[in-house]
Amino acid sequence: MISEKINNIINEQINLEFYSGYLYLSMSAHLKEIGLFGFASWMRLQAKEEVEHGLKLLDYLIERNSFVTLKQIKTPEFEFNGVLSIFNHIYEHEKNITDCVMKIAKVAEDECDRTTLSFIDWFINEQIEEEQNIKNIIKRLELFGDEKTSLFLMDNELGKRD
Ligand code: OFO
């Protein structure tokens, strides 16, 4: 059985992961509305991944004979101002999520909970990968600009994510 502190912080993280899913889904819907179907599909796949992250945490609590407490998910942004600003927004969001994951590792360390520490490693690596993927897209948007031709090419490319 894990400590109350660990239980609380993991339950909070479940909520954050589902919120992340909501945020990506909101962005995906917006991108689809404006005809950027490749970007929209990339975002929708990311939303699915976020839900999987939430479920992975939820299953972990159950495996450790702990309790799942699902709380209300806050409303994600739904007004956006261009593709570059959307990616800058999620980059900041993911950096924040990385801090939260690091905080779980810190609490696990303080509680001498080796199992949670090793479990959370997967999330730390996942965050590094996510931040990097988003940063790479931002670099290219900054380099090529978000005018029609470059957006068209990137939209095709991102639409190939599977
Ligand atoms: Fe779950 O990795 Fe993004 O938020």
mmCIF file of all heavy atoms in Angstrom, residues 127-154:
data_model
loop_
_atom_site.group_PDB
_atom_site.id
_atom_site.type_symbol
_atom_site.label_atom_id
_atom_site.label_comp_id
_atom_site.label_asym_id
_atom_site.label_seq_id
_atom_site.Cartn_x
_atom_site.Cartn_y
_atom_site.Cartn_z
ATOM 1 N N GLN A 127 8.126 12.490 -20.896
ATOM 2 C CA GLN A 127 8.076 13.957 -20.923
ATOM 3 C C GLN A 127 9.232 14.529 -21.738
ATOM 4 O O GLN A 127 9.056 15.479 -22.498
ATOM 5 C CB GLN A 127 8.090 14.525 -19.504
ATOM 6 C CG GLN A 127 6.765 14.446 -18.789
ATOM 7 C CD GLN A 127 5.616 15.026 -19.583
ATOM 8 O OE1 GLN A 127 4.657 14.324 -19.871
ATOM 9 N NE2 GLN A 127 5.688 16.283 -19.983
ATOM 10 N N ILE A 128 10.417 13.951 -21.568
ATOM 11 C CA ILE A 128 11.578 14.436 -22.324
ATOM 12 C C ILE A 128 11.284 14.305 -23.816
ATOM 13 O O ILE A 128 11.517 15.223 -24.601
ATOM 14 C CB ILE A 128 12.853 13.639 -21.942
ATOM 15 C CG1 ILE A 128 13.233 13.942 -20.494
ATOM 16 C CG2 ILE A 128 14.013 13.944 -22.892
ATOM 17 C CD1 ILE A 128 14.283 13.027 -19.905
ATOM 18 N N GLU A 129 10.723 13.157 -24.186
ATOM 19 C CA GLU A 129 10.421 12.910 -25.601
ATOM 20 C C GLU A 129 9.349 13.890 -26.107
ATOM 21 O O GLU A 129 9.487 14.473 -27.188
ATOM 22 C CB GLU A 129 9.941 11.461 -25.740
ATOM 23 C CG GLU A 129 9.890 10.980 -27.169
ATOM 24 C CD GLU A 129 9.288 9.594 -27.263
ATOM 25 O OE1 GLU A 129 9.697 8.704 -26.479
ATOM 26 O OE2 GLU A 129 8.387 9.424 -28.105
ATOM 27 N N GLU A 130 8.308 14.085 -25.318
ATOM 28 C CA GLU A 130 7.225 14.988 -25.753
ATOM 29 C C GLU A 130 7.723 16.416 -25.925
ATOM 30 O O GLU A 130 7.426 17.076 -26.915
ATOM 31 C CB GLU A 130 6.079 14.976 -24.734
ATOM 32 C CG GLU A 130 5.165 13.815 -24.924
ATOM 33 C CD GLU A 130 3.911 13.888 -24.064
ATOM 34 O OE1 GLU A 130 3.658 14.926 -23.432
ATOM 35 O OE2 GLU A 130 3.198 12.890 -24.042
ATOM 36 N N GLU A 131 8.470 16.887 -24.929
ATOM 37 C CA GLU A 131 8.993 18.259 -25.027
ATOM 38 C C GLU A 131 9.843 18.410 -26.282
ATOM 39 O O GLU A 131 9.758 19.405 -26.996
ATOM 40 C CB GLU A 131 9.845 18.594 -23.793
ATOM 41 C CG GLU A 131 9.025 19.004 -22.595
ATOM 42 C CD GLU A 131 9.904 19.508 -21.457
ATOM 43 O OE1 GLU A 131 10.999 20.022 -21.721
ATOM 44 O OE2 GLU A 131 9.492 19.345 -20.295
ATOM 45 N N GLN A 132 10.673 17.398 -26.535
ATOM 46 C CA GLN A 132 11.561 17.460 -27.695
ATOM 47 C C GLN A 132 10.774 17.480 -29.002
ATOM 48 O O GLN A 132 11.068 18.266 -29.912
ATOM 49 C CB GLN A 132 12.551 16.275 -27.659
ATOM 50 C CG GLN A 132 13.759 16.462 -28.551
ATOM 51 C CD GLN A 132 14.456 17.807 -28.312
ATOM 52 O OE1 GLN A 132 14.756 18.148 -27.171
ATOM 53 N NE2 GLN A 132 14.678 18.583 -29.366
ATOM 54 N N ASN A 133 9.775 16.610 -29.098
ATOM 55 C CA ASN A 133 8.960 16.563 -30.330
ATOM 56 C C ASN A 133 8.283 17.901 -30.596
ATOM 57 O O ASN A 133 8.267 18.388 -31.734
ATOM 58 C CB ASN A 133 7.858 15.497 -30.213
ATOM 59 C CG ASN A 133 8.428 14.101 -30.273
ATOM 60 O OD1 ASN A 133 9.552 13.900 -30.743
ATOM 61 N ND2 ASN A 133 7.685 13.126 -29.780
ATOM 62 N N ILE A 134 7.751 18.488 -29.553
ATOM 63 C CA ILE A 134 7.045 19.767 -29.727
ATOM 64 C C ILE A 134 8.042 20.869 -30.092
ATOM 65 O O ILE A 134 7.801 21.686 -30.981
ATOM 66 C CB ILE A 134 6.242 20.123 -28.451
ATOM 67 C CG1 ILE A 134 5.155 19.079 -28.222
ATOM 68 C CG2 ILE A 134 5.614 21.513 -28.572
ATOM 69 C CD1 ILE A 134 4.559 19.094 -26.835
ATOM 70 N N LYS A 135 9.189 20.860 -29.402
ATOM 71 C CA LYS A 135 10.204 21.880 -29.679
ATOM 72 C C LYS A 135 10.663 21.792 -31.135
ATOM 73 O O LYS A 135 10.877 22.815 -31.796
ATOM 74 C CB LYS A 135 11.381 21.691 -28.714
ATOM 75 C CG LYS A 135 12.338 22.851 -28.698
ATOM 76 C CD LYS A 135 11.677 24.088 -28.101
ATOM 77 C CE LYS A 135 12.527 25.314 -28.195
ATOM 78 N NZ LYS A 135 11.825 26.554 -27.889
ATOM 79 N N ASN A 136 10.803 20.567 -31.655
ATOM 80 C CA ASN A 136 11.237 20.411 -33.052
ATOM 81 C C ASN A 136 10.225 21.011 -34.023
ATOM 82 O O ASN A 136 10.601 21.633 -35.019
ATOM 83 C CB ASN A 136 11.456 18.926 -33.384
ATOM 84 C CG ASN A 136 12.719 18.403 -32.738
ATOM 85 O OD1 ASN A 136 13.578 19.180 -32.309
ATOM 86 N ND2 ASN A 136 12.842 17.084 -32.623
ATOM 87 N N ILE A 137 8.953 20.832 -33.714
ATOM 88 C CA ILE A 137 7.916 21.417 -34.583
ATOM 89 C C ILE A 137 7.983 22.946 -34.493
ATOM 90 O O ILE A 137 7.898 23.651 -35.508
ATOM 91 C CB ILE A 137 6.519 20.877 -34.193
ATOM 92 C CG1 ILE A 137 6.458 19.374 -34.468
ATOM 93 C CG2 ILE A 137 5.419 21.615 -34.971
ATOM 94 C CD1 ILE A 137 5.217 18.679 -33.947
ATOM 95 N N ILE A 138 8.169 23.472 -33.290
ATOM 96 C CA ILE A 138 8.267 24.932 -33.104
ATOM 97 C C ILE A 138 9.454 25.489 -33.900
ATOM 98 O O ILE A 138 9.321 26.501 -34.604
ATOM 99 C CB ILE A 138 8.410 25.286 -31.604
ATOM 100 C CG1 ILE A 138 7.098 24.988 -30.873
ATOM 101 C CG2 ILE A 138 8.810 26.757 -31.413
ATOM 102 C CD1 ILE A 138 7.153 25.162 -29.373
ATOM 103 N N LYS A 139 10.586 24.803 -33.813
ATOM 104 C CA LYS A 139 11.786 25.274 -34.534
ATOM 105 C C LYS A 139 11.492 25.395 -36.019
ATOM 106 O O LYS A 139 11.860 26.366 -36.674
ATOM 107 C CB LYS A 139 12.937 24.269 -34.352
ATOM 108 C CG LYS A 139 13.681 24.407 -33.056
ATOM 109 C CD LYS A 139 14.838 23.421 -33.048
ATOM 110 C CE LYS A 139 15.425 23.283 -31.668
ATOM 111 N NZ LYS A 139 16.282 22.103 -31.549
ATOM 112 N N ARG A 140 10.803 24.402 -36.549
ATOM 113 C CA ARG A 140 10.527 24.413 -37.987
ATOM 114 C C ARG A 140 9.494 25.469 -38.351
ATOM 115 O O ARG A 140 9.605 26.131 -39.375
ATOM 116 C CB ARG A 140 10.100 23.020 -38.431
ATOM 117 C CG ARG A 140 11.246 22.040 -38.151
ATOM 118 C CD ARG A 140 10.939 20.670 -38.598
ATOM 119 N NE ARG A 140 10.859 20.618 -40.035
ATOM 120 C CZ ARG A 140 10.108 19.756 -40.688
ATOM 121 N NH1 ARG A 140 9.396 18.882 -40.043
ATOM 122 N NH2 ARG A 140 10.092 19.757 -41.996
ATOM 123 N N LEU A 141 8.515 25.646 -37.484
ATOM 124 C CA LEU A 141 7.518 26.705 -37.745
ATOM 125 C C LEU A 141 8.188 28.066 -37.711
ATOM 126 O O LEU A 141 7.859 28.961 -38.501
ATOM 127 C CB LEU A 141 6.394 26.649 -36.706
ATOM 128 C CG LEU A 141 5.349 25.540 -36.893
ATOM 129 C CD1 LEU A 141 4.470 25.423 -35.648
ATOM 130 C CD2 LEU A 141 4.486 25.800 -38.119
ATOM 131 N N GLU A 142 9.147 28.229 -36.802
ATOM 132 C CA GLU A 142 9.842 29.522 -36.708
ATOM 133 C C GLU A 142 10.749 29.739 -37.925
ATOM 134 O O GLU A 142 10.857 30.840 -38.445
ATOM 135 C CB GLU A 142 10.660 29.583 -35.421
ATOM 136 C CG GLU A 142 9.785 29.870 -34.212
ATOM 137 C CD GLU A 142 10.534 29.790 -32.898
ATOM 138 O OE1 GLU A 142 11.659 29.251 -32.876
ATOM 139 O OE2 GLU A 142 9.984 30.234 -31.888
ATOM 140 N N LEU A 143 11.369 28.648 -38.341
ATOM 141 C CA LEU A 143 12.299 28.741 -39.458
ATOM 142 C C LEU A 143 11.595 29.013 -40.783
ATOM 143 O O LEU A 143 11.999 29.881 -41.556
ATOM 144 C CB LEU A 143 13.080 27.416 -39.536
ATOM 145 C CG LEU A 143 14.324 27.368 -40.375
ATOM 146 C CD1 LEU A 143 15.364 28.351 -39.807
ATOM 147 C CD2 LEU A 143 14.917 25.965 -40.350
ATOM 148 N N PHE A 144 10.515 28.272 -41.021
ATOM 149 C CA PHE A 144 9.865 28.392 -42.333
ATOM 150 C C PHE A 144 8.679 29.351 -42.314
ATOM 151 O O PHE A 144 8.079 29.621 -43.351
ATOM 152 C CB PHE A 144 9.415 27.016 -42.825
ATOM 153 C CG PHE A 144 10.548 26.024 -42.893
ATOM 154 C CD1 PHE A 144 10.509 24.835 -42.177
ATOM 155 C CD2 PHE A 144 11.677 26.292 -43.656
ATOM 156 C CE1 PHE A 144 11.564 23.932 -42.234
ATOM 157 C CE2 PHE A 144 12.732 25.389 -43.716
ATOM 158 C CZ PHE A 144 12.681 24.217 -42.998
ATOM 159 N N GLY A 145 8.314 29.823 -41.115
ATOM 160 C CA GLY A 145 7.185 30.743 -41.028
ATOM 161 C C GLY A 145 5.880 29.992 -41.093
ATOM 162 O O GLY A 145 5.849 28.832 -41.510
ATOM 163 N N ASP A 146 4.802 30.634 -40.659
ATOM 164 C CA ASP A 146 3.538 29.901 -40.763
ATOM 165 C C ASP A 146 2.674 30.467 -41.891
ATOM 166 O O ASP A 146 1.511 30.761 -41.746
ATOM 167 C CB ASP A 146 2.800 29.801 -39.407
ATOM 168 C CG ASP A 146 2.607 31.140 -38.731
ATOM 169 O OD1 ASP A 146 3.035 32.155 -39.313
ATOM 170 O OD2 ASP A 146 2.027 31.159 -37.643
ATOM 171 N N GLU A 147 3.349 30.618 -43.073
ATOM 172 C CA GLU A 147 2.553 31.018 -44.237
ATOM 173 C C GLU A 147 1.991 29.770 -44.912
ATOM 174 O O GLU A 147 2.346 28.659 -44.538
ATOM 175 C CB GLU A 147 3.388 31.761 -45.279
ATOM 176 C CG GLU A 147 4.327 32.795 -44.780
ATOM 177 C CD GLU A 147 5.731 32.553 -45.278
ATOM 178 O OE1 GLU A 147 5.908 31.713 -46.182
ATOM 179 O OE2 GLU A 147 6.642 33.187 -44.746
ATOM 180 N N LYS A 148 1.210 30.027 -45.977
ATOM 181 C CA LYS A 148 0.413 28.928 -46.546
ATOM 182 C C LYS A 148 1.243 27.742 -47.024
ATOM 183 O O LYS A 148 0.944 26.595 -46.711
ATOM 184 C CB LYS A 148 -0.455 29.470 -47.670
ATOM 185 C CG LYS A 148 -1.551 30.349 -47.104
ATOM 186 C CD LYS A 148 -2.545 30.769 -48.134
ATOM 187 C CE LYS A 148 -3.663 31.532 -47.432
ATOM 188 N NZ LYS A 148 -4.357 32.467 -48.258
ATOM 189 N N THR A 149 2.322 28.009 -47.811
ATOM 190 C CA THR A 149 3.049 26.877 -48.396
ATOM 191 C C THR A 149 3.700 26.009 -47.324
ATOM 192 O O THR A 149 3.584 24.777 -47.346
ATOM 193 C CB THR A 149 4.149 27.374 -49.367
ATOM 194 O OG1 THR A 149 3.579 28.372 -50.185
ATOM 195 C CG2 THR A 149 4.708 26.256 -50.190
ATOM 196 N N SER A 150 4.374 26.645 -46.363
ATOM 197 C CA SER A 150 5.041 25.832 -45.347
ATOM 198 C C SER A 150 4.020 25.117 -44.461
ATOM 199 O O SER A 150 4.226 23.964 -44.072
ATOM 200 C CB SER A 150 6.017 26.658 -44.508
ATOM 201 O OG SER A 150 5.527 27.926 -44.261
ATOM 202 N N LEU A 151 2.920 25.782 -44.180
ATOM 203 C CA LEU A 151 1.888 25.119 -43.377
ATOM 204 C C LEU A 151 1.318 23.912 -44.118
ATOM 205 O O LEU A 151 1.093 22.864 -43.521
ATOM 206 C CB LEU A 151 0.744 26.090 -43.075
ATOM 207 C CG LEU A 151 0.895 26.968 -41.841
ATOM 208 C CD1 LEU A 151 -0.389 27.732 -41.588
ATOM 209 C CD2 LEU A 151 1.268 26.160 -40.608
ATOM 210 N N PHE A 152 1.148 24.081 -45.418
ATOM 211 C CA PHE A 152 0.609 22.984 -46.232
ATOM 212 C C PHE A 152 1.544 21.765 -46.158
ATOM 213 O O PHE A 152 1.106 20.636 -45.930
ATOM 214 C CB PHE A 152 0.452 23.450 -47.692
ATOM 215 C CG PHE A 152 0.046 22.361 -48.637
ATOM 216 C CD1 PHE A 152 -1.265 21.886 -48.655
ATOM 217 C CD2 PHE A 152 0.976 21.796 -49.514
ATOM 218 C CE1 PHE A 152 -1.634 20.861 -49.516
ATOM 219 C CE2 PHE A 152 0.605 20.766 -50.387
ATOM 220 C CZ PHE A 152 -0.703 20.306 -50.383
ATOM 221 N N LEU A 153 2.859 22.031 -46.304
ATOM 222 C CA LEU A 153 3.831 20.926 -46.286
ATOM 223 C C LEU A 153 3.894 20.275 -44.903
ATOM 224 O O LEU A 153 3.899 19.057 -44.774
ATOM 225 C CB LEU A 153 5.215 21.437 -46.701
ATOM 226 C CG LEU A 153 5.330 21.882 -48.163
ATOM 227 C CD1 LEU A 153 6.680 22.554 -48.415
ATOM 228 C CD2 LEU A 153 5.135 20.708 -49.117
ATOM 229 N N MET A 154 3.918 21.116 -43.859
ATOM 230 C CA MET A 154 3.987 20.546 -42.508
ATOM 231 C C MET A 154 2.704 19.810 -42.144
ATOM 232 O O MET A 154 2.726 18.812 -41.431
ATOM 233 C CB MET A 154 4.295 21.638 -41.487
ATOM 234 C CG MET A 154 5.774 21.986 -41.472
ATOM 235 S SD MET A 154 6.202 23.017 -40.074
ATOM 236 C CE MET A 154 6.160 21.851 -38.730
#
